Amino acid sequence: MNGTPHIPALYACRPGLDILNKIGIVAIREKSVRMTTRLIEGAKSRGWRVNTPDNPAERAGTVSIECPHAYEVCRELLAQDILVDYRPKAGVRVSPTFTIVRKSAISHSQQIEEILKTGAWEKHAAAVTHA
């Protein structure tokens, strides 16, 4: 009824599943909580609004930071090969994975601060008007 499953894709994902099983979902979640907590603390210490629950039990692995010029900051982070996303009324969405080191969660806030301080976001301001 659903059609034929994409068998090559199932085989391709097996190594990833092996990694997840080896590390363990509990360990991955614990690291996610530590990383997202650092992101939230870093953003709030800079006076930025965080649109992600403080309570780890109420959040997943993504933190939405509403900093000044969030859309343009997102574009600059992407230009620097830092994978993030932007959503209106949510801000820059950062999703630290269990494969990154501790410093990366701290450096996201520092990198955003640097983009704002240097005005690097400005080159993206005229490119597109967003809602």
Side-chain angles (χ1 to χ4, degrees), residues 71-90:
Y71 176 79
E72 294 82 6
V73 167
C74 176
R75 304 307 310 160
E76 180 59 21
L77 288 166
L78 290 169
Q80 295 179 19
D81 292 326
I82 299 171
L83 298 178
V84 294
D85 187 23
Y86 169 81
R87 299 289 165 88
K89 300 180 183 173

Side-chain angles (χ1 to χ4, degrees), residues 1-122:
M1 195 168 191
N2 290 327
T4 304
H6 193 263
I7 302 302
L10 294 174
Y11 279 102
C13 79
R14 289 182 72 187
L17 294 173
D18 292 341
I19 291 169
L20 294 176
N21 286 326
K22 183 177 180 181
I23 295 170
I25 300 303
V26 171
I28 291 170
R29 174 64 180 155
E30 288 171 353
K31 183 165 184 183
S32 174
V33 168
R34 288 191 307 272
M35 302 295 273
T36 54
T37 298
R38 288 185 185 109
L39 271 169
I40 290 169
E41 289 170 353
K44 286 185 173 185
S45 72
R46 290 165 171 84
W48 303 330
R49 180 181 167 150
V50 175
N51 294 313
T52 302
D54 285 335
N55 183 350
E58 296 175 4
R59 70 174 183 255
T62 300
V63 176
S64 295
I65 301 169
E66 203 168 333
C67 63
H69 313 288
Y71 176 79
E72 294 82 6
V73 167
C74 176
R75 304 307 310 160
E76 180 59 21
L77 288 166
L78 290 169
Q80 295 179 19
D81 292 326
I82 299 171
L83 298 178
V84 294
D85 187 23
Y86 169 81
R87 299 289 165 88
K89 300 180 183 173
V92 179
R93 296 173 66 226
V94 182
S95 300
T97 67
F98 68 93
T99 59
I100 66 173
V101 294
R102 178 183 182 271
K103 284 182 167 182
S104 295
I106 296 167
S107 70
H108 282 97
S109 298
Q110 291 170 340
Q111 192 65 30
I112 292 171
E113 183 177 47
E114 184 69 17
I115 289 168
L116 290 168
K117 194 180 292 186
T118 63
W121 63 271
E122 292 174 355

